[in-house]
Amino acid sequence: MSSLGQYNIRFLCCFTVLFLSSIAARINLCSDLPFNSPSPSESNSFDDTLSLRKLNFDGHISFDELHHAAKDFGNRHRHYPLAILHPKSVSDISTVIKHVFQMGPTSALTVAARGHGHSLQGQAQALRGIVINMELLKKPEMHVHAGKQPYVEVSGGELWINILHETLRHGLAPKSWTDYLHLTVGGTLSNAGISGQAFKHGPQINNVHELEVVTGKGEVLNCSEKQNADLFYSALGGLGQFGIITRAKIALEPAPMKVKWIRVLYSDFSVFARDQEYLISSKHTFDYIEGFVIINRTGLINNWRSSFNPQHPLQASQFNSEGKTLYCLEMTKNINMDEAGTINQDVETLLSQLSFIPSTLFMSEVSYLEFLDRVHLSEIQLRSKGLWDVPHPWLNLLIPRTKIHDFNKEVFGNILTDTSNGPVLMYPLKKFKWDNRTSAVTPEEDIFYIVAFLSSAVPSWTGKNSLQHILAQQKRILDFCKKSNIGMKQYLPHYATQEEWKVHFGSRWETILRKKHAYDPLAILAPGQRIFQKAMHFSQ
């Protein structure tokens, strides 16, 4: 979920006792210690391997070349699985999970679904377990359904970029996106899926008509608002805890031809926040709204010139950002066939309501595809320089609106003052656009901000650019949020103990336990999330 754009390389480099007593024999639900998967004996590992080899699949299961499934985009955790399932059908996924479930608590095997590998903290890894390569699941084949309420039916392993290409052929596109499109449907729907359209359409999990889910018992269930609704809303934003999403029907809307892409700068955070909140609350507004924080970026505007045109070239050339913390507001306005002649006037009217620094107005006009896939261009550049496969210690926070000014003052006034080691996103979202029946957790306020620290740490970097320094800064940020009782929630959450997860889910924790017991009673699924640990009963 990063809005990397065309920035320079350093800026770029940078998801009750009674109740417990009824299920504690199956799942370790009470440990306050860091979770580690049980260490099976060599004989148990051999028995597990032998039993898996006897299973029949449309695809196949492999026991070597495991290193790809033992890493992710975060590039900080490596847990090698016992095997990788390469499925050709949903039946393959059901077969392997049902097999592990039927083995019962005498087996240490767990199962993790791995999409495009963009987890940050090993969430899609399974130590000595089975990793499912979801990208190989191509059934059902993608099919676009036009009509009054258009939708596209896709495999849970399909990439959003492929969905965009296919739906655009029909003049349609999904309503809500993530900033980076080379992610799988099942992966983003298991978290939430947010970007600059979420203020308008809600996250991606709010734009799904139906799912097919394989539960922790190996059951294959179709679910929607009217069928198996509990599972439907549990799986959406459920971090993979209640089932693996293998198919989805995603809502579509008419796609624009092009977009007017705009960036402006602010030096006053209060004005920046006020303008953002005004825009997301207005009936007539932009179609995409994001913001980010810029710390000590000399010559920033010059870096935009390759993709944007300054409204006032002379004034822009004289603007000096050195040594200042600035705030960028990034917006787009869709250009449709019947509105092409009035788009400039619409944009001018909207901009006239804002209080940005006039000399920093930059605009561009690009295709809808080019805008939505903008981060991929940066990926290509970074890969060519060997700066993509590095540690990414990202931290994504949801901060209540009433606390965002305190957060800004402490974090960008005292903690991050010299560099941010990568983009820092900051923009508001509206809670009523998030369906509270899903498993996703947000702060208890009508408006909250996503603040995403998208850091990169090249191994050779030292001092303020080192991984250790970045992690130390993040700890200071988290400590401040806790001590100040800000009411923060993590997006793409990661915690070391179950007590921390209880705090994260708050009053919803007992509901999470009920759902886990219903759909994954042996805690087989998504062990890398470290919420539940599979309990072991060793035979004598």
Side-chain angles (χ1 to χ4, degrees):
M1 57 154 281
S2 61
S3 180
L4 302 180
Q6 298 291 323
Y7 321 141
N8 59 30
I9 292 300
R10 179 62 63 87
F11 189 58
L12 280 164
C13 279
C14 321
F15 159 115
T16 65
V17 172
L18 289 176
F19 185 82
L20 294 180
S21 64
S22 70
I23 57 178
R26 292 187 175 186
I27 311 174
N28 181 351
L29 295 174
C30 306
S31 173
D32 293 338
L33 298 174
F35 286 5
N36 293 300
S37 297
S39 300
S41 65
E42 290 185 10
S43 60
N44 281 342
S45 294
F46 177 79
D47 292 343
D48 289 338
T49 301
L50 187 61
S51 69
L52 290 171
R53 290 186 184 275
K54 293 179 180 179
L55 298 178
N56 293 317
F57 297 110
D58 296 322
H60 71 281
I61 193 165
S62 61
F63 300 89
D64 49 18
E65 297 294 323
L66 304 175
H67 58 281
H68 294 297
K71 64 173 293 187
D72 55 26
F73 182 69
N75 214 1
R76 295 174 52 214
H77 301 269
R78 294 209 173 195
H79 302 300
Y80 281 76
L82 177 68
I84 302 175
L85 175 65
H86 306 273
K88 281 191 176 180
S89 65
V90 175
S91 177
D92 285 350
I93 298 173
S94 173
T95 295
V96 76
I97 296 177
K98 189 176 295 184
H99 174 74
V100 176
F101 179 72
Q102 291 172 347
M103 292 175 74
T106 59
S107 169
L109 284 178
T110 55
V111 178
R114 184 183 192 274
H116 200 57
H118 258 250
S119 297
L120 300 171
Q121 303 273 5
Q123 289 95 330
Q125 298 176 28
L127 179 63
R128 302 187 189 94
I130 303 164
V131 170
I132 302 176
N133 184 350
M134 294 298 295
E135 281 194 272
L136 293 183
L137 181 65
K138 297 301 182 183
K139 295 183 180 180
E141 294 182 2
M142 200 184 322
H143 186 62
V144 176
H145 298 257
K148 223 175 227 188
Q149 294 184 316
Y151 66 88
V152 59
E153 185 171 14
V154 298
S155 162
E158 192 63 77
L159 296 178
W160 286 99
I161 182 62
N162 296 336
I163 296 173
L164 177 59
H165 282 293
E166 179 62 23
T167 57
L168 284 177
R169 293 177 57 243
H170 300 264
L172 300 167
K175 300 177 180 181
S176 193
W177 295 95
T178 55
D179 288 332
Y180 180 65
L181 305 188
H182 296 251
L183 304 171
T184 60
V185 168
T188 66
L189 296 186
S190 294
N191 287 281
I194 58 176
S195 184
Q197 306 87 2
F199 80 94
K200 188 174 185 179
H201 297 292
Q204 290 182 321
I205 56 175
N206 269 41
N207 296 277
V208 181
H209 295 314
E210 184 179 301
L211 296 175
E212 178 184 73
V213 176
V214 183
T215 72
K217 301 175 186 178
E219 303 167 310
V220 181
L221 299 174
N222 292 321
C223 52
S224 65
E225 185 178 13
K226 297 180 179 180
Q227 179 184 19
N228 296 314
D230 186 66
L231 177 59
F232 179 68
Y233 292 114
S234 298
L236 292 171
L239 304 176
Q241 292 300 305
F242 313 111
I244 294 174
I245 297 172
T246 53
R247 179 178 61 84
K249 289 184 179 179
I250 299 160
L252 302 176
E253 66 176 357
M257 300 182 302
K258 296 182 178 182
V259 301
K260 183 76 75 171
W261 190 1
I262 304 154
R263 284 180 181 167
V264 295
L265 291 178
Y266 294 75
S267 58
D268 187 320
F269 175 74
S270 295
V271 178
F272 169 69
R274 184 191 66 201
D275 279 2
Q276 285 195 101
E277 292 172 21
Y278 165 76
L279 287 175
I280 71 164
S281 301
S282 298
K283 185 175 181 180
H284 179 62
T285 189
F286 291 100
D287 296 290
Y288 158 99
I289 300 169
E290 285 195 9
F292 52 91
V293 186
I294 304 160
I295 303 172
N296 193 22
R297 300 308 307 158
T298 302
L300 172 72
I301 284 182
N302 287 329
N303 295 327
W304 289 353
R305 290 178 183 273
S306 61
S307 303
F308 295 86
N309 298 312
Q311 188 77 352
H312 308 288
L314 180 60
Q315 294 179 39
S317 66
Q318 297 173 347
F319 181 81
N320 187 352
S321 61
E322 184 174 2
K324 302 175 184 177
T325 294
L326 299 172
Y327 305 89
C328 176
L329 180 54
E330 183 174 56
M331 308 151 287
T332 69
K333 189 67 176 171
N334 291 347
I335 304 176
N336 299 303
M337 185 83 68
D338 57 344
E339 300 171 336
T342 61
I343 188 66
N344 290 332
Q345 182 60 49
D346 287 346
V347 168
E348 186 177 332
T349 299
L350 288 169
L351 291 174
S352 69
Q353 307 300 313
L354 308 179
S355 301
F356 53 87
I357 302 170
S359 62
T360 66
L361 173 58
F362 278 67
M363 287 194 281
S364 180
E365 196 170 294
V366 298
S367 71
Y368 194 47
L369 172 62
E370 185 179 346
F371 171 70
L372 289 178
D373 199 30
R374 61 199 180 279
V375 177
H376 185 54
L377 296 177
S378 300
E379 175 187 354
I380 294 173
Q381 294 174 5
L382 291 171
R383 283 190 182 278
S384 69
K385 299 176 183 295
L387 297 174
W388 183 257
D389 294 318
V390 300
H392 295 97
W394 288 9
L395 179 65
N396 302 274
L397 308 178
L398 302 176
I399 308 295
R401 173 184 175 272
T402 59
K403 301 293 185 179
I404 193 64
H405 292 269
D406 295 337
F407 181 91
N408 174 76
K409 183 178 180 180
E410 175 62 22
V411 173
F412 302 110
N414 294 322
I415 300 176
L416 299 180
T417 56
D418 298 323
T419 181
S420 58
N421 301 98
V424 180
L425 307 185
M426 180 186 283
Y427 57 92
L429 299 165
K430 296 185 288 190
K431 189 175 180 69
F432 82 91
K433 290 292 186 178
W434 293 59
D435 194 321
N436 61 13
R437 292 171 294 183
T438 70
S439 296
V441 177
T442 61
E444 295 299 325
E445 286 195 9
D446 293 340
I447 292 177
F448 55 88
Y449 280 72
I450 172 73
V451 186
F453 303 91
L454 309 182
S455 303
S456 297
V458 175
S460 61
W461 288 355
T462 59
K464 294 179 179 180
N465 296 314
S466 68
L467 176 61
Q468 292 73 18
H469 183 75
I470 295 170
L471 294 177
Q473 287 181 321
Q474 291 183 0
K475 184 179 184 304
R476 289 181 63 190
I477 294 170
L478 292 172
D479 287 345
F480 165 73
C481 290
K482 184 176 181 179
K483 291 176 183 177
S484 301
N485 195 27
I486 273 182
M488 171 272 293
K489 296 296 182 181
Q490 285 192 26
Y491 177 67
L492 307 179
H494 171 75
Y495 300 102
T497 70
Q498 195 174 84
E499 282 304 309
E500 292 175 300
W501 280 108
K502 289 179 182 179
V503 172
H504 174 77
F505 287 108
S507 62
R508 303 173 68 179
W509 177 244
E510 289 183 15
T511 300
I512 296 296
L513 293 183
R514 174 187 65 78
K515 293 180 176 184
K516 187 68 173 178
H517 182 48
Y519 302 117
D520 185 24
L522 294 186
I524 291 169
L525 301 175
Q529 293 284 0
R530 301 165 68 88
I531 306 175
F532 301 104
Q533 180 182 9
K534 187 175 182 182
M536 288 289 294
H537 287 179
F538 294 98
S539 57
Q540 300 297 322

